[in-house]
């Protein structure tokens, strides 16, 4: 029986593995295996909602093991470290638990056909400090870390341990950046209804975009303007035609030498 291995359970990988499982795996025509470093899938465009708490990980995640049993494919958790083309094998790194215990040794999986669908990561364009001081939303784990940081700061402000504005800067006014800004405002209002003692104007949020408009991929200028106006209505400071040259603990440094101070920095 032919062995088909798909590495990466993102949007593309999930679509492919589901179709292969239904058409080949369930009918016994091929052995289909999905490999991913996580044990579940959350659609990447929803990670900003996960980070702000408006999306529940447990409810919205698709468990690969369960999904595979239903759709006709096998699942192996692990990180791809190499491909042995001569022997038609992929090499998976040892798997460790969160507390450092070895769960599985290095493994090799045979394949007749191999599909690599590991997706993309945010492009930092070589800007110094992005990796060290900014949060990206490429993985569920990153979204959960950002979620904890956001909640921590809200609690500090609510208890009086942190004074002044909660300063947030988002680099990139594409769909993710814009929706993240809106969700943060929604999160502030929601926490206030839950009893958090937060000032109405607590959030000082700036969104920075190198292009001359927000949502630059939108084809119609009236739609871009509508998004821009809505952000301003929410109290978001919008800075277009602004290039970030460095990210530090203090915030963003722009090409014209401006410092945009921020306690939290999101990079989209």
């Amino acid at each position: 029986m032919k062995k088909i291995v798909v590495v990466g359970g993102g949007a593309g990988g999930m679509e492919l593995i589901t179709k292969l499982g239904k058409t080949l795996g369930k009918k016994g025509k091929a052995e289909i295996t999905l490999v991913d470093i996580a044990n579940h899938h959350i659609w990447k465009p929803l990670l900003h909602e996960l980070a702000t708490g408006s999306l529940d990980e447990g409810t919205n995640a698709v468990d690969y093991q369960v999904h595979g049993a239903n759709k006709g494919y096998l699942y192996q958790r692990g990180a791809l470290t190499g491909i042995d083309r001569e022997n038609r094998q992929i090499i998976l790194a040892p798997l460790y638990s969160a507390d450092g215990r070895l769960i599985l040794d290095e493994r090799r999986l045979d394949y007749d056909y191999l599909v690599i669908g590991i997706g993309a990561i945010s492009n930092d364009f070589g800007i110094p400090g992005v990796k060290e001081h900014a949060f990206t939303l490429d993985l569920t784990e990153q979204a959960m870390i950002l979620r904890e940081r956001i909640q921590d700061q809200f609690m500090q402000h609510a208890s009086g341990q942190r004074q002044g504005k909660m300063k947030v800067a988002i680099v990139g006014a594409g769909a993710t950046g814009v929706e993240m800004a809106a969700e943060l405002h929604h999160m502030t209002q929601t926490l206030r209804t839950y009893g958090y003692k937060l000032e109405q104007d607590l959030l000082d949020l700036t969104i920075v975009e190198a292009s001359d408009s927000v949502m630059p991929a939108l084809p119609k200028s009236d739609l871009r303007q509508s998004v821009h106006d809505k952000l301003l209505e929410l109290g978001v400071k919008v800075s277009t035609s602004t290039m970030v040259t460095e990210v530090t603990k203090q915030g963003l440094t722009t090409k014209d030498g401006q410092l945009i101070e921020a306690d939290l920095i999101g990079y989209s």
Side-chain angles (χ1 to χ4, degrees), residues 24-250:
L24 300 176
K26 279 193 169 184
K27 297 178 181 179
K29 295 182 178 181
E31 180 182 286
I32 317 296
T33 302
L34 171 67
V35 175
D36 199 278
I37 58 175
N39 57 17
H40 63 274
H41 166 79
I42 292 182
W43 196 41
K44 186 176 179 179
L46 295 179
L47 290 181
H48 66 279
E49 295 186 32
L50 186 63
T52 55
S54 59
L55 186 76
D56 181 75
E57 181 183 15
T59 303
N60 292 275
V62 177
D63 185 283
Y64 291 131
Q65 196 76 49
V66 175
H67 190 260
N70 291 329
K71 302 301 182 182
Y73 67 86
L74 304 173
Y75 163 67
Q76 286 273 359
R77 185 176 181 182
L80 177 69
T81 58
I83 301 174
D84 183 343
R85 297 178 184 274
E86 183 177 350
N87 294 305
R88 287 186 169 274
Q89 293 177 327
I90 63 169
I91 305 166
L92 301 183
L95 184 63
Y96 294 91
S97 65
D99 59 0
R101 292 179 295 106
L102 178 65
I103 300 174
L104 294 174
D105 293 319
E106 181 181 273
R107 290 154 288 156
R108 285 177 172 256
L109 298 182
D110 297 320
Y111 69 85
D112 294 293
Y113 299 96
L114 176 63
V115 179
I116 305 294
I118 55 178
I121 60 174
S122 299
N123 188 350
D124 64 11
F125 296 98
I127 299 172
V130 172
K131 291 183 175 64
E132 294 82 4
H133 305 294
F135 290 92
T136 56
L137 290 177
D138 298 315
L139 301 171
T140 301
E141 291 78 7
Q142 294 171 327
M144 295 304 293
I145 292 171
L146 177 55
R147 181 177 184 169
E148 185 177 1
R149 285 289 298 276
I150 292 171
Q151 290 176 339
D152 288 348
Q153 289 214 14
F154 273 122
M155 284 192 293
Q156 288 173 336
H157 279 282
S159 65
Q161 292 186 25
R162 186 184 285 263
Q163 303 296 322
K165 302 281 190 179
M166 179 173 168
K167 297 180 180 180
V168 180
I170 297 174
V171 183
T176 299
V178 167
E179 291 184 43
M180 182 72 178
E183 287 292 342
L184 279 170
H185 274 275
H186 175 70
M187 183 180 185
T188 308
Q189 300 298 328
T190 300
L191 290 176
R192 190 176 290 110
T193 64
Y194 289 165
Y196 278 69
K197 296 180 180 179
L198 301 172
E199 296 295 330
Q200 188 72 29
D201 60 347
L202 170 67
L203 199 59
D204 181 357
L205 200 160
T206 303
I207 189 165
V208 180
E209 170 59 46
S211 300
D212 60 2
S213 71
V214 300
M215 299 288 285
L218 285 178
K220 295 184 177 180
S221 60
D222 58 333
L223 290 178
R224 297 195 296 271
Q225 186 61 49
S226 178
V227 173
H228 185 277
D229 293 343
K230 186 61 179 179
L231 288 170
L232 295 179
E233 184 182 322
L234 290 173
V236 178
K237 299 173 184 176
V238 180
S239 185
T240 54
S241 300
T242 303
M243 292 185 64
V244 174
T245 56
E246 186 178 10
V247 180
T248 67
K249 289 183 178 180
Q250 287 71 41

